[in-house]
Amino acid sequence: MCGITGFTGKVPALPILLKGLESLEYRGYDSAGVTLVTEDALFTQKRKGRLADLESSMDVPSFMQTTGIGHTRWATHGVPSQLNSHPHTNEKETISIVHNGIIENYQSIKEKLIALGYVFQSDTDSEVIVHLLDHYYQGDMMEAIQKTVQQLNGSYAICVVTTDHPDEVYVAKDSSPMVIGHSENGSYCASDIPAILEYTKDVVILEDGQMAKLTPNGVAVFDFAGNALETKVTHIPYDMNAAQKGGYTTFMEKEIYEQPVAIKETMRGIIDHGQIHLPQLDAVDMQKIQYVHFVACGTAYHACLYAQALVQKWLGRIVTCVAASEFRYGNYPVNENTLCVFVTQSGETADTLAALKMSKEKGAQCIAVTNVLGSSISRYADQTLYTSAGPEIAVASTKAFTTQLVLLTLMVFDLAKKEGREIPDGDAILKDLQRMPEIVKEMLEKAPLMDQYAYFLDNQYDAYFIGRQMDYVGVVEGALKLKEISYVHADAYLAGELKHGSIALIEKDTVVVALATEPSVAAKTISNIEETVARGANVILITTQQQDAPGFKNVIRIPDIHPVLATIPVTVLLQLFAYYAAVHKGRDVDKPRNLAKSVTVE
Ligand code: AGP
């Protein structure tokens, strides 16, 4: 997820580009760059680091060019570096592009272009676009773009400029966002509304399969066949601050609602006709592996609990799941016959990094699962799998967690397949996984209900989450989410353990969130829950469509999906529950007290 800006008009472009990129830094910030255009030349300045670093390296007022494009990067292919930064230009320096998205078939395109004599400067997927444009360009850039996008599989929003038409900016969009607008000073394009809201509140939100030509006098929209389309203008009622949050109140709310897209992007290019493509795992020889350890902190640790359950189901092995702060000091068996999997959204958590380094020293094979390309963990691990959740700004992890669950499911599934193991209901599980974006959308529609349930906590200082088997993952994560943003004390219990002591805590109006999505033990869990009801608890039950739940007032039923995947929709419901509890209590949802987004100290 990157930030793109473009402008052409009657005033200098650079200040507009930089200010626009600044408003989009929540979309990515590992590197930044701009290209300014005149009929004589392109001027491209780009570098690794924050936008401020780029800005400080340029004497902004001296640049008078009135056309340009800009980019702030969230790396997906090619670690953050000067060469991998955008914009990318053709060898003749007559065309420059910026791209947001993932080109799935870039390798095959790159091979063809190299065979045609093109020389690549970067490791990115995006660079294939500028060389395709160079290959197809015969004077009409719109035509060259039409031919280029026909070659691309994946997601993209691109901006193009050329010295041949120095007062034009071209955009094309499929599966990544692009908005355009016009004011008396010129025409604007950007990945998201905040970048142009200062200049116009009337924007055109491009749809998939659309392209546009921007000139100082206006914008024109076309389909990919070149047919002119009517420009549908949307008036944006909210201000810049709200716009950076996509119109949501907080980054956390926005990131909760980004989960369908984040999950879809994470799976992009991995599942193809029922087969999983995770080449990073080809180096793992499970026949040699005696021990498997999952190691992480916080919410990422909960994702490891989920992966541990899958390994035990599908790989028939007992595995450990250990908090990194314990693993690095514990006496766990780690040697050359050990596979260690480290899960970390930021890729910078000190305990997790230290645990990995220790494991490497002991000869283990180390796989990292992270959301940040080029992060420290990805540099130390033998192999790295990436979630594609985009930057997660809110301290409380939401989309990173659900994309970790999806990626870990695919990872364990692939390791089992590599061992020649049959996965019970394997095809059904993959089908349900591919439906997950829709399933999560269905859960998000229950937000008003979770908002109502969150009022149960109004006069409560404690809440209890209970469940069995894989529901326990939802239980611990749901409790953590509630604690860290609403400051309500929440405990997580195995439902079967309640009667061994903790039920002494239950009294009238105690809030109990009960998960019963595992058909094999749902009835037992429900009988555990009935014990809390008998003591006056206010129970919110999350269960399956089929499960009988007589006498329960507050029941939410998740869609019919394979039980091993139930944690994902359950998690979305509990994120909303925690979110509304925090809102009702007036908490700083994006920046809860005492917490940091990435714990880079012990
Ligand atoms: C999640 O809501 C928390 N903010 C926290 O537990 C977080 O998951 C933990 O610090 C691990 O961070 P990481 O995934 O970046 O390693």
Side-chain angles (χ1 to χ4, degrees):
M1 173 160 146
C2 303
I4 286 179
T5 56
F7 174 76
T8 182
K10 302 157 189 152
V11 298
L14 188 55
I16 293 169
L17 298 175
L18 294 173
K19 201 164 186 189
L21 292 177
E22 194 180 324
S23 73
L24 298 178
E25 271 208 295
Y26 66 87
R27 298 180 59 83
Y29 38 76
D30 60 48
S31 43
V34 293
T35 288
L36 300 169
V37 191
T38 63
E39 62 191 357
D40 307 319
L42 298 178
F43 174 82
T44 296
Q45 188 91 344
K46 61 181 188 175
R47 56 183 292 167
K48 177 181 176 183
R50 300 300 293 247
L51 180 64
D53 302 328
L54 174 75
E55 205 158 355
S56 58
S57 67
M58 300 176 78
D59 174 17
V60 176
S62 65
F63 291 96
M64 303 309 287
Q65 293 93 329
T66 58
T67 298
I69 54 178
H71 188 270
T72 181
R73 188 169 182 240
W74 182 262
T76 57
H77 291 75
V79 295
S81 68
Q82 198 275 342
L83 285 177
N84 288 337
S85 308
H86 299 212
H88 292 289
T89 56
N90 63 337
E91 209 164 342
K92 292 176 287 195
E93 295 275 318
T94 56
I95 302 172
S96 181
I97 68 109
V98 289
H99 165 235
N100 173 31
I102 295 175
I103 306 299
E104 291 172 33
N105 61 331
Y106 82 96
Q107 289 285 21
S108 57
I109 297 173
K110 186 167 181 175
E111 284 159 18
K112 287 177 191 150
L113 288 167
I114 289 171
L116 288 171
Y118 284 93
V119 177
F120 280 75
Q121 302 300 321
S122 77
D123 300 327
T124 67
D125 54 334
S126 309
E127 190 181 350
V128 299
I129 297 170
V130 73
H131 297 313
L132 279 174
L133 288 170
D134 181 274
H135 177 65
Y136 289 122
Y137 182 66
Q138 306 288 330
D140 180 336
M141 187 53 79
M142 293 294 279
E143 186 186 290
I145 292 172
Q146 287 161 27
K147 291 177 178 173
T148 295
V149 296
Q150 284 169 15
Q151 304 298 318
L152 305 179
N153 295 334
S155 55
Y156 52 85
I158 57 176
C159 274
V160 182
V161 290
T162 174
T163 51
D164 282 9
H165 303 279
D167 59 352
E168 294 178 356
V169 176
Y170 310 89
V171 299
K173 177 253 195 273
D174 198 357
S175 300
S176 291
M178 181 67 77
V179 295
I180 59 179
H182 182 71
S183 76
E184 71 281 358
N185 283 333
S187 298
Y188 310 78
C189 63
S191 302
D192 205 352
I193 291 162
I196 59 178
L197 203 55
E198 177 179 334
Y199 313 106
T200 175
K201 281 185 170 287
D202 296 318
V203 302
V204 176
I205 300 172
L206 287 186
E207 295 170 16
D208 286 350
Q210 291 187 346
M211 53 199 296
K213 181 161 86 172
L214 282 62
T215 68
N217 303 318
V219 301
V221 179
F222 305 86
D223 63 19
F224 280 0
N227 302 310
L229 301 173
E230 182 204 347
T231 50
K232 291 179 204 150
V233 175
T234 303
H235 180 77
I236 304 301
Y238 41 70
D239 65 11
M240 162 78 84
N241 186 33
Q244 283 187 312
K245 299 178 181 102
Y248 292 102
T249 315
T250 61
F251 277 112
M252 183 177 176
E253 186 186 22
K254 176 171 176 276
E255 289 156 8
I256 287 172
Y257 280 83
E258 281 177 340
Q259 290 180 109
V261 170
I263 288 169
K264 185 179 178 190
E265 288 304 303
T266 295
M267 290 193 289
R268 185 182 289 281
I270 296 179
I271 306 176
D272 180 23
H273 294 97
Q275 299 301 315
I276 292 176
H277 300 285
L278 284 171
Q280 301 95 319
L281 300 181
D282 291 347
V284 178
D285 175 4
M286 284 306 291
Q287 309 291 352
K288 218 183 84 178
I289 299 299
Q290 192 180 7
Y291 304 109
V292 179
H293 301 303
F294 285 92
V295 183
C297 300
T299 286
Y301 168 71
H302 299 155
C304 288
L305 288 171
Y306 177 83
Q308 178 190 37
L310 292 182
V311 169
Q312 285 170 178
K313 282 179 190 287
W314 295 346
L315 283 171
R317 281 179 171 81
I318 294 296
V319 300
T320 53
C321 176
V322 190
S325 54
E326 287 298 303
F327 186 77
R328 59 188 293 199
Y329 300 112
N331 190 20
Y332 293 91
V334 179
N335 55 37
E336 63 283 356
N337 298 327
T338 304
L339 173 65
C340 292
V341 182
F342 300 89
V343 181
T344 166
Q345 187 284 132
S346 62
E348 304 300 339
T349 298
D351 283 323
T352 310
L353 284 172
L356 186 149
K357 287 176 188 170
M358 179 197 78
S359 302
K360 289 260 315 183
E361 284 158 14
K362 293 185 175 181
Q365 173 134 25
C366 297
I367 294 178
V369 174
T370 189
N371 192 39
V372 183
L373 204 67
S375 57
S376 299
I377 202 93
S378 66
R379 292 200 299 276
Y380 294 123
D382 296 311
Q383 302 294 337
T384 303
L385 302 181
Y386 291 98
T387 50
S388 299
E392 191 175 66
I393 308 296
V395 165
S397 191
T398 51
K399 61 179 184 174
F401 179 66
T402 47
T403 52
Q404 284 164 359
L405 298 185
V406 166
L407 192 52
L408 287 165
T409 302
L410 292 168
M411 181 189 89
V412 180
F413 198 106
D414 195 36
L415 288 176
K417 282 293 184 191
K418 281 184 167 55
E419 255 199 334
R421 292 175 178 268
E422 268 313 301
I423 295 170
D425 307 330
D427 293 344
I429 290 168
L430 284 188
K431 280 197 180 73
D432 283 348
L433 206 48
Q434 289 175 289
R435 285 199 303 130
M436 197 54 72
E438 295 314 311
I439 290 165
V440 168
K441 273 185 197 148
E442 242 184 274
M443 296 298 95
L444 292 169
E445 288 161 10
K446 296 183 182 294
L449 182 60
M450 303 318 289
D451 187 357
Q452 288 309 309
Y453 285 153
Y455 283 109
F456 293 175
L457 291 164
D458 271 4
N459 303 310
Q460 297 293 316
Y461 298 95
D462 305 289
Y464 299 95
F465 291 71
I466 65 173
R468 286 171 181 256
Q469 302 282 315
M470 289 189 83
D471 271 331
Y472 187 65
V473 177
V475 159
V476 289
E477 176 56 15
L480 175 63
K481 228 23 85 219
L482 183 64
K483 278 184 280 194
E484 66 174 328
I485 62 172
S486 75
Y487 314 152
V488 171
H489 169 252
D491 266 354
Y493 295 110
L494 287 165
E497 279 295 289
L498 214 52
K499 55 185 172 300
H500 296 284
S502 316
I503 199 164
L505 295 169
I506 307 296
E507 54 192 18
K508 184 168 174 359
D509 293 338
T510 300
V511 174
V512 171
V513 178
L515 307 185
T517 69
E518 182 105 32
S520 62
V521 290
K524 291 191 184 312
T525 304
I526 288 200
S527 65
N528 297 143
I529 302 162
E530 281 161 349
E531 291 166 28
T532 67
V533 174
R535 288 156 178 82
N538 196 357
V539 175
I540 299 162
L541 171 63
I542 300 177
T543 188
T544 59
Q545 295 290 326
Q546 294 76 18
Q547 182 57 47
D548 287 339
F552 286 93
K553 286 184 298 185
N554 313 307
V555 180
I556 305 165
R557 295 182 182 277
I558 63 172
D560 280 331
I561 56 165
H562 196 281
V564 295
L565 300 175
T567 300
I568 299 170
V570 165
T571 292
V572 174
L573 294 170
L574 297 184
Q575 289 167 354
L576 291 166
F577 180 65
Y579 175 77
Y580 288 115
V583 168
H584 296 167
K585 293 176 184 294
R587 307 300 189 208
D588 182 350
V589 171
D590 283 340
K591 298 188 180 69
R593 68 186 180 195
N594 310 339
L595 295 177
K597 182 58 188 169
S598 178
V599 183
T600 55
V601 294
E602 275 207 40

